[in-house]
Amino acid sequence: MSMETSSAKFNGNISDVSAVAQPLAEEPTEIASNIKYHARYTPHFSPSKFEPEQAYYATADSVRDRLINQWNDTYLHYDKVNPKQTYYLSMEYLQGRALTNAIGNLDFRDAYADALKKLGHELEEVVEQEKDAALGNGGLGRLASCFLDSMATLNLPAWGYGLRYKYGLFKQIITKAGQEEVAEDWLEKFSPWEVVRHDVVFPVRFFGDVEVHPSGSRKWVGGEVIQAIAYDVPIPGYRTKNTNSLRLWDAKASSEDLNLFQFNDGQYESAAQLHSRAQQICAVLYPGDATENGKLLRLKQQFLLCSASLQDIIARFKEREDGKGAHHWSEFPKKVAIQLNDTHPTLAIPELMRLLMDDEGLGWDEAWGITTRAIAYTNHTVLPEALEKWSQAVMWKLLPRHMEIIEEIDRRFVASVQSERPDLENKIPSMRILDHNAQKPVVRMANLCVVSSHTVNGVAKLHSDILKAELFADYVSVWPTKFQNKTNGITPRRWIHFCSPELSNIITKWLKTDQWVTNLELLANLREFADNAELHAEWESAKMANKQRLAQYVLRVTGVSIDPDTLFDIQVKRIHEYKRQLLNVLGVVYRYKRLKEMSPQERNNTTPRTVMIGGKAFATYTNAKRIVKLVTDVGDVINSDPDINNYLKVVFVPNYNVSVAEMLIPGSELSQHISTAGMEASGTSNMKFALNGCLILGTLDGANVEIREEIGEENFFLFGATADEVPRLRKEREDGLFKPDPRFEEAKQFIRSGAFGTYDYNPLLESLEGNSGYGRGDYFLVGHDFPSYMDAQARVDEAYKDRRRWIKMSILSTAGSGKFSSDRTISQYAKEIWNIAECRVP
């Protein structure tokens, strides 16, 4: 940076801008003035500094002024109209950066860019100062965030509830040893987007006993009580005044919980015991649960979310019903819809029952009627290890009253099946909530959700069909109308309009309207221009701009220089054996081996590729971490091989998160969604890539099925076994009937030869070998699908050589993405599950 520009940050034209509070500023000059006001009068740093970081916080404070104004208006409007509201409970939210999203949704991007110029800064550099909020892990959390954006944009009265994790999941660092985890630092300074509500505090109890009163009523007492305090984050809709809330709970102990006598006696740890226990609760997302302490901590997190949220919902309901004398509890489900995002918030069911019976004095039948009419459940997985089952002993210890309630729900359910469906008698052991397995008695959370919810939904057509036919088949015969499909969606604001402005402008130009940003179905009108040479040229240049931006980013974070003229092939998602990053790497290894065997002339006829893989492996998931290490080892060798690195490069992109995705997805040309069929409930990054004109190489899994239907099968590179074939193929494997493809054997052998270093990959490769046994037998069918995968990759290479055909496919991919807007998904939830309506702020 030259001296002039850095000094401009202190004097230069900044002195022309006055520091005056203008919270509702719209003109660049007024906005600059408001930013300068915040830098001076709501300072977070020493007064002499106004570098990009200081500019970011002052800019955020300025944007927040307008958000708070709209937020208060929204809150008051909902209060006045008193509509039915939705409360979305999720353990994860992956919000991404808030500044670009807020000025985009408020339609002030250009004004803010101009204002910052007047203050000697570039908007691009300022937004880079913001750290992603580290409140989630993968698709489940990002879906929740897309849903919040759509709820606000559709003017729906809805709140998100979550937890304020201080250190998130982890920040991923890639070293010679593979993945290393360090704590996220997103709250190291502070977040300008949250408002702590010191008046919204609820007690949350753990452990203790149940007291039985002479009247027969029961009360949970004793144990330890901590306080849940609310931090609210504003969620602005796109070009609408409605601004909803994401309410995040933090846990704290109060000053009387500090034992001053012990402290002054030098016993600091025991004096502040409850304080440190409270701080542990919201420290980390998904803390390791191998120990009993780990299990208790995870349950505490889940219960804190459920208890604080329900106390808040009930308090709001009572406030609004207060004018009507006694609380009409029968009104509760007419005012409140609670959505459980997966099984993590299942404890909302017994907690609502407890609050209604023990605190509000309702009888069982009335409380059960209210609970089952208010709560609905979204299932996100059919993976058995991901369906939560909690030890009954741990539950009795932490939540004794809730276990009594769960036992009673279970008892009544079993009795009703016995009396009404004697034909299902033999299914009761698998359908009931409590599994009294002598070795390890557990509570099955998914069963509790299905029994207690008015609606259960899957997240893509294939997934919902599997739920009805397999996982929940017996329940379907009891409650045939309880099960629905709600295919996931993504917000077009963040996932194309803001992250790929060039492509977005081209779409608006050719459609002659920007209405598509809130009515994504309009993209279908691009089809008529799919062969237009002028559109092709513009499309290709927008794609190239995104690829160049991505290449600069990759160089900055990995030190690897990649060529934007090669095919950019990207797989980014959580690292998991079912998502089969290993299939991708084995394909790359085979491609490298073939390239090594070719003459220079033959190599010149291949399609040069840059393969990028990214994603976090859970800290204790050994095989996933081995896969990360393998990608980095393969990359190190290939990228430094002078014969090959013009034709193939392999990059592991570190610390995948929302902001990294916003850089990678627009620059991608091929993306891989290659999970074993039947295992990925939906997938949502597949929708983001398709929307951005990126072609998909994938299996018939999750939402891939519907994406292929929408964009046309000739524009989708399909391979692999189908979901209905998988059980048979696993059986054949167990019976020793599988014959591996020689290319598959070659790829594994090449890794074992030490071509990629001395690390012992045998344990990883052995998971693909043998016919049965724990961690063996290739459960995810990598070997079976390998030949089909390689054939599909060959079709990709051919198609990419024909530029006109490739660009046409790319345009048709975007044109077919209209169905996958979260606006469509949320409209369906609102009408078909929640029964809520628009409540637009005037």
Side-chain angles (χ1 to χ4, degrees), residues 526-539:
L526 285 171
R527 288 187 179 126
E528 61 185 279
F529 309 117
D531 288 304
N532 185 299
E534 193 187 334
L535 174 58
H536 275 230
E538 292 176 19
W539 198 267

Side-chain angles (χ1 to χ4, degrees), residues 333-352:
K334 297 176 191 163
K335 293 293 180 188
V336 171
I338 296 165
Q339 190 69 32
L340 309 181
N341 191 29
D342 213 344
T343 53
H344 311 127
T346 304
L347 292 168
I349 294 161
E351 175 65 355
L352 182 53

Side-chain angles (χ1 to χ4, degrees), residues 486-561:
K486 295 282 167 281
T487 297
N488 284 341
I490 57 171
T491 168
R493 272 75 63 183
R494 184 178 293 270
W495 293 114
I496 185 164
H497 192 45
F498 303 153
C499 72
S500 184
E502 298 89 344
L503 203 57
S504 181
N505 290 337
I506 290 167
I507 293 168
T508 296
K509 173 185 158 182
W510 286 80
L511 295 181
K512 297 190 167 56
T513 174
D514 62 1
Q515 292 295 302
W516 61 272
V517 178
T518 47
N519 180 5
L520 206 60
E521 301 277 356
L522 292 175
L523 290 179
N525 295 331
L526 285 171
R527 288 187 179 126
E528 61 185 279
F529 309 117
D531 288 304
N532 185 299
E534 193 187 334
L535 174 58
H536 275 230
E538 292 176 19
W539 198 267
E540 192 158 27
S541 82
K543 253 320 193 197
M544 183 49 81
N546 287 330
K547 287 176 76 177
Q548 283 165 339
R549 198 177 318 156
L550 172 52
Q552 286 163 357
Y553 174 79
V554 166
L555 181 61
R556 192 170 89 233
V557 297
T558 68
V560 180
S561 73

